[in-house]
Amino acid sequence: MVARRSVRDRLRHALRPRAGLPDAFPRSKPLKVRGRSVAWLPALLLLTGIVLLDANTSGRFRIISWLVLVPVIAAAICGVLGTLALGVLSLLAYGAIDASWPHRYQNGLPDFILVVVGSALAALACSVRLRAERQMLHMRDVAETTRRTVLRPMPPGWGGLDHAAVYLAADSEARVGGDFYDIQPGRHGTRLLLGDVQGKGLAAVEAAASLLGTFREAAYHEPVLTTVAGRLEVRMLRHNGYRVALGRDDGDRFATGVMVAFREDTPATVEVINFGHEPPLVVTADGVRSLPPGDGLPLGMGDLASAPPPVLRVPLAPGETLLMVTDGVTEARDASGTFFPLRDTLTKALARDPRTADPHRLVRWVRDGTLDHCGGRLADDTTIFAVRRRAADGRRT
């Protein structure tokens, strides 16, 4: 249980929701004391220990050649100059200590050459390490820019909604995958979209970016929600056709999703179109209920249906929170293969603390519950998205 919680806590820290995700490849942070770097201290302590031990043992037990380890340790935690400096210090120490012994006990030139070669190779290895780290940090910056393009940050109260979201990538170094979500205020109310593109990798990211770009324009301009849905279907088909034209083999890619419209003239209801996705949950201080599943097919499969997906008009009272998740939550399994019972455990959590229905508290609770259930082993990208209308005076309800 302790090990499982430790995994969960590390993932919670590494994947916490904020404007910028943490580094997938963290920058090297030198050891510091009162703001000053002491990265050289472990290697210097090792050097001192070897020198003292060699000086206080018999001539039959000489370990001065172990000084070759000093620049090796420095190469892992210091810069190139620091590694070279410790290598030179090791050579000086070798010469002084070895010369202090009678001739028959001296290690002599062969071990001195060993320390010289070891110091030179350590400096080279340090240079390679730093170059690789710079390359990985550059890749991190590119991935962060991609993430912020696909999953743009949204200001508080965007579109008249209190909202909170957590995105957990199954591949923590990828930082972004096929899950997507957005809120788009427009001329005809506020619309939101959450979805999951089939597959993984950059191809799924491209499809998600294409759908979000179309949604942001269509949701702003189009007065009818079914028209927005039609635009998304066409966008998915066009994207698949483009990929086929490039010679890619993923022309049958599709995306599940849920689109919700908050109309200003109907403050107690919402319009929902479900594209083959898990139905959203309505969370209140009194409990949890599911929205109707709808009969829509995933985006990219519209040709298989005889009619466009229906628009469901469902009640959503002020103060009720709409919770939407991707299959990273619903398909999370524990060691015995049991799926995460989201609705049942959430109902119990609300009974203990009704404040869990707040969007920010809610996404944190679902995140922690999912990681606890699966032991930190995410099998798929995971998105948790919660929204509710703001009060008429702009306060959080």
Side-chain angles (χ1 to χ4, degrees):
M1 182 65 182
V2 174
R4 181 177 176 179
R5 183 176 294 113
S6 176
V7 172
R8 189 275 314 278
D9 290 343
R10 289 198 300 270
L11 276 172
R12 180 190 301 175
H13 175 76
L15 297 168
R16 63 189 182 277
R18 59 189 179 95
L21 287 176
D23 294 346
F25 188 87
R27 297 177 183 273
S28 292
K29 296 182 179 179
L31 300 172
K32 290 186 177 182
V33 174
R34 295 182 179 180
R36 295 189 176 184
S37 174
V38 291
W40 45 267
L41 186 58
L44 184 61
L45 290 175
L46 177 63
L47 184 151
T48 304
I50 292 173
V51 168
L52 292 176
L53 188 60
D54 186 85
N56 289 278
T57 55
S58 67
R60 295 181 179 180
F61 185 75
R62 297 295 314 283
I63 63 169
I64 195 63
S65 59
W66 291 11
L67 285 173
V68 71
L69 298 175
V70 173
V72 172
I73 298 298
I77 56 179
C78 298
V80 175
L81 292 180
T83 301
L84 287 173
L86 285 162
V88 171
L89 190 59
S90 298
L91 293 173
L92 295 176
Y94 179 94
I97 297 299
D98 197 49
S100 67
W101 285 88
H103 181 73
R104 66 181 182 276
Y105 294 129
Q106 291 179 4
N107 288 0
L109 185 61
D111 284 353
F112 181 81
I113 294 176
L114 174 66
V115 177
V116 171
V117 173
S119 298
L121 292 177
L124 178 62
C126 181
S127 176
V128 172
R129 172 182 68 85
L130 293 175
R131 185 181 301 112
E133 181 177 307
R134 286 192 294 269
Q135 292 174 346
M136 290 299 296
L137 290 172
H138 176 69
M139 293 173 62
R140 187 283 315 266
D141 292 337
V142 172
E144 175 64 15
T145 301
T146 302
R147 187 197 69 83
R148 292 177 66 87
T149 300
V150 177
L151 303 178
R152 62 178 181 177
M154 292 176 286
W158 183 237
L161 301 176
D162 288 323
H163 59 85
V166 172
Y167 176 79
L168 307 178
D171 180 357
S172 61
E173 293 188 4
R175 303 169 66 84
V176 68
D179 287 5
F180 57 93
Y181 61 90
D182 199 15
I183 298 174
Q184 181 58 60
R187 300 175 179 178
H188 310 283
T190 297
R191 279 91 179 253
L192 65 86
L193 177 68
L194 175 136
D196 181 5
V197 175
Q198 170 259 337
K200 301 180 184 295
L202 291 178
V205 176
E206 290 177 5
S210 296
L211 290 171
L212 281 174
T214 297
F215 170 74
R216 288 162 184 164
E217 290 302 310
Y220 179 84
H221 292 285
E222 298 294 345
V224 181
L225 196 62
T226 52
T227 305
V228 181
R231 293 274 297 274
L232 290 172
E233 174 67 21
V234 171
R235 175 70 258 186
M236 192 74 234
L237 293 175
R238 289 176 57 201
H239 179 78
N240 287 341
Y242 167 75
R243 298 282 296 180
V244 171
L246 289 177
R248 310 293 170 82
D249 59 355
D250 57 350
D252 57 349
R253 190 176 296 274
F254 61 88
T256 64
V258 178
M259 185 164 54
V260 184
F262 293 82
R263 297 170 57 96
E264 295 180 358
D265 56 348
T266 56
T269 63
V270 292
E271 295 178 342
V272 180
I273 297 181
N274 192 315
F275 305 101
H277 197 78
E278 185 75 16
L281 298 177
V282 177
V283 182
T284 71
D286 299 324
V288 183
R289 70 178 189 271
S290 296
L291 293 187
D295 300 320
L297 293 177
L299 294 168
M301 293 185 172
D303 292 343
L304 302 178
S306 58
V311 177
L312 305 176
R313 291 175 176 82
V314 296
L316 186 71
E320 294 184 330
T321 301
L322 199 62
L323 172 65
M324 293 164 285
V325 300
T326 58
D327 54 11
V329 174
T330 57
E331 296 183 5
R333 298 171 183 254
D334 61 13
S336 65
T338 303
F339 290 111
F340 178 43
L342 173 60
R343 181 169 176 173
D344 292 341
T345 53
L346 180 54
T347 300
K348 296 176 182 178
L350 290 166
R352 292 190 299 267
D353 185 1
R355 295 177 299 173
T356 305
D358 175 80
H360 294 82
R361 290 174 178 264
L362 183 58
V363 297
R364 288 195 297 268
W365 182 92
V366 176
R367 175 198 62 189
D368 295 346
T370 302
L371 293 175
D372 267 334
H373 186 78
C374 68
R377 299 180 297 272
L378 296 173
D380 201 353
D381 296 336
T382 301
T383 298
I384 308 159
F385 192 30
V387 299
R388 70 179 176 190
R389 281 190 174 94
R390 283 203 156 192
D393 58 3
R395 295 181 293 115
R396 290 174 60 180
T397 57

